[in-house]
Amino acid sequence: MFIDKAEIKVTAGKGGNGAVSFHREKYVAAGGPDGGDGGKGGDVIIVADTNVSSLLPFKYKTKYTAENGKDGSGKRSYGKKGQDLVIKVPMGTLVREKNSGRIVADIHDKNPVTIAKGGNGGWGNMHFATPTRQIPRFSKPGQEGESLELVLELKLIADVGLVGFPNVGKSSLITAVSNARPQIANYHFTTLTPVLGVVNIDTEKSFVMADIPGLIEGAKDGAGLGHEFLRHVERCRLILHVVDVSGMEGRDPYEDFLLINKELSAFSPELAKLPMMVAANKCDIADEAQADSFCKKIEELGYAVFKISAAGRTGTRELVNAVAAKLDTLEPVKIYEAEAPAERRQKSSREFEIFFEDGIYFVEAAWLDDIVKSCDTDDYESLQYLQRVIRQTGIVDSLEQMGINEGDTVAMGGIAFDYIR
């Protein structure tokens, strides 16, 4: 089964928590804090694999989570870094963020791309020792890893895309000029998935051709195979429009040509602007006058047209040589640039929300919950650290703007306390 679009959710690993520990050794008095830092969470990485040709695996598995970092421990021991999660996709996969539609990455080569970064490990209590605070009984928790809902969209990387009605001979053409071997039969829609073939011009020159499943009128509205596979033409540098000039199925070749161009334009105006060449196929069984009339009309529209017989393999060498010469004048295969996120998506961002209910000020923030949990409410220095955090992040200023008075109750992270200026 060929799948060229899938939705997945990726979550990078959470950073390990910092440790609260004090050095204990015989004959060593007041060894001091020695809690180590937590390990960084694992990243989620996407890489191209030339042995993968479909997004089918993502139909059955949609959630991917990297390993969390390990917690720190005593004796200044750092927690182990979480293992990165590597996801393999076909070459040419476009990665988008589901909600915003922004392009996260274009997997167009074998270079790995980090999609979601693991959270940093929390600091151990050894970092919080000062001349006036020699026994800190608190540490910092690890940060959450990034989490994204993604849409994977396969856009084949090919120089030339073959388009045309079903049964016009596209599969026969790509078989005649390349190493591809698609199914060939005398009925419509024998090609159900895009097929890639490498066309060799000489020992040092070649290009990639893609056979796209046939279109019919109304494809943009879902008729036939619809425009399901037209996304694979969007990267192409050149469109090769294959037309059956024999009229053996009772259709007018010129009308076929105009209809397919209309469908391309309806799918994507940018696609319709791509350079196009025309292959007048099945000339060996066509009426010569009809073939000449078709070619004249196409040339009047400004397109280069070549008479060929893909089945008989006549005219195909002249065609591919002309295609190669045209490609030399065109820009490289289209690569989509990654777009910067509109806002920071790290779960540990310092955003918070405050609301007043039943005489209590409730402060809600995912990052604050972790800090409160690591705080020892029986330790004065630990409470001082928590107080500095809520002041530096603007929570106190927001509470005062809301009109909080001394003695009012504030609840956060599962604890409640009286507000004191």
Side-chain angles (χ1 to χ4, degrees):
M1 183 186 296
F2 181 81
I3 300 293
D4 60 358
K5 195 170 185 180
E7 295 184 5
I8 63 173
K9 181 178 181 179
V10 298
T11 305
K14 179 182 180 298
N17 297 322
V20 176
S21 175
F22 296 92
H23 184 67
R24 296 288 184 267
E25 185 178 349
K26 193 175 181 180
Y27 307 120
V28 177
D34 68 351
D37 299 345
K40 178 182 177 297
D43 298 333
V44 177
I45 298 171
I46 292 184
V47 64
D49 185 346
T50 54
N51 294 318
V52 179
S53 59
S54 170
L55 298 176
L56 180 61
F58 304 102
K59 177 180 175 64
Y60 303 104
K61 182 179 179 182
T62 60
K63 295 183 179 180
Y64 295 83
T65 305
E67 185 180 35
N68 293 335
K70 304 300 182 184
D71 294 343
S73 57
K75 299 182 180 179
R76 297 178 179 261
S77 296
Y78 289 79
K80 182 181 178 182
K81 178 184 181 298
Q83 186 174 359
D84 294 336
L85 176 65
V86 179
I87 302 174
K88 296 181 179 180
V89 299
M91 191 81 76
T93 300
L94 194 63
V95 183
R96 293 184 183 272
E97 192 172 33
K98 180 179 177 180
N99 294 330
S100 67
R102 76 176 181 95
I103 297 174
V104 178
D106 185 355
I107 313 301
H108 62 276
D109 55 30
K110 292 187 177 181
N111 294 324
V113 178
T114 300
I115 298 297
K117 295 182 179 180
N120 292 324
W123 283 0
N125 68 334
M126 64 180 180
H127 290 280
F128 299 98
T130 66
T132 58
R133 185 177 60 222
Q134 298 182 7
I135 49 172
R137 301 183 184 277
F138 59 92
S139 61
K140 290 187 71 175
Q143 296 178 344
E144 295 287 341
E146 291 180 319
S147 182
L148 295 171
E149 291 186 352
L150 303 174
V151 176
L152 305 181
E153 188 175 357
L154 179 56
K155 293 179 182 285
L156 297 179
I157 299 178
D159 298 291
V160 180
L162 301 181
V163 300
F165 266 83
N167 210 29
V168 295
K170 299 190 302 299
S171 297
S172 296
L173 177 57
I174 199 170
T175 298
V177 301
S178 77
N179 57 354
R181 294 296 178 265
Q183 180 182 356
I184 300 175
N186 189 28
Y187 55 85
H188 293 181
F189 302 119
T190 52
T191 301
L192 299 178
T193 64
V195 176
L196 290 180
V198 178
V199 181
N200 294 306
I201 303 302
D202 53 41
T203 56
E204 298 181 355
K205 190 174 184 178
S206 64
F207 62 85
V208 178
M209 180 180 285
D211 175 12
I212 308 301
L215 298 172
I216 63 174
E217 185 179 6
K220 66 181 184 299
D221 300 318
L225 293 178
H227 58 243
E228 182 178 355
F229 298 110
L230 277 178
R231 66 173 62 94
H232 300 295
V233 191
E234 290 184 300
R235 283 191 195 269
C236 293
R237 304 158 62 195
L238 175 69
I239 292 177
L240 183 56
H241 194 147
V242 184
V243 181
D244 176 3
V245 295
S246 71
M248 60 185 300
E249 297 197 6
R251 296 198 308 264
D252 180 273
Y254 186 66
E255 290 299 322
D256 283 359
F257 176 81
L258 296 179
L259 283 172
I260 294 301
N261 282 0
K262 181 180 178 182
E263 294 301 326
L264 292 176
S265 181
F267 175 77
S268 167
E270 293 298 319
L271 190 58
K273 294 177 183 178
L274 286 177
M276 180 182 291
M277 299 175 72
V278 182
N281 193 27
K282 302 186 182 181
C283 282
D284 53 337
I285 59 174
D287 179 84
E288 186 173 352
Q290 183 181 12
D292 290 341
S293 174
F294 170 80
C295 292
K296 183 179 180 180
K297 291 179 180 179
I298 297 300
E299 288 173 346
E300 289 174 351
L301 293 177
Y303 298 108
V305 59
F306 297 83
K307 291 182 179 181
I308 68 167
S309 170
R313 304 201 176 190
T314 57
T316 54
R317 178 47 54 183
E318 292 79 3
L319 173 63
V320 296
N321 286 339
V323 169
K326 181 66 176 178
L327 289 174
D328 288 340
T329 67
L330 302 179
E331 295 292 325
V333 172
K334 181 178 181 179
I335 302 300
Y336 295 84
E337 295 293 331
E339 300 169 0
E343 59 182 354
R344 186 175 176 82
R345 285 172 168 75
Q346 189 80 341
K347 285 186 177 179
S348 56
S349 61
R350 296 308 200 207
E351 295 179 354
F352 58 86
E353 183 180 359
I354 303 175
F355 61 93
F356 183 73
E357 186 176 314
D358 296 332
I360 300 176
Y361 290 88
F362 292 90
V363 182
E364 291 188 350
W367 58 269
L368 183 60
D369 291 345
D370 290 335
I371 292 177
V372 173
K373 288 176 184 177
S374 68
C375 174
D376 183 357
T377 55
D378 294 327
D379 182 72
Y380 175 72
E381 291 177 343
S382 184
L383 288 173
Q384 275 192 319
Y385 170 73
L386 176 60
Q387 184 178 15
R388 280 199 305 275
V389 169
I390 62 177
R391 284 193 178 276
Q392 292 171 355
T393 54
I395 292 176
V396 171
D397 292 339
S398 295
L399 287 169
E400 291 178 349
Q401 289 175 9
M402 293 178 68
I404 192 171
N405 296 311
E406 189 160 349
D408 288 347
T409 301
V410 178
M412 63 176 68
I415 64 172
F417 55 90
D418 292 336
Y419 177 75
I420 301 176
R421 295 184 185 276

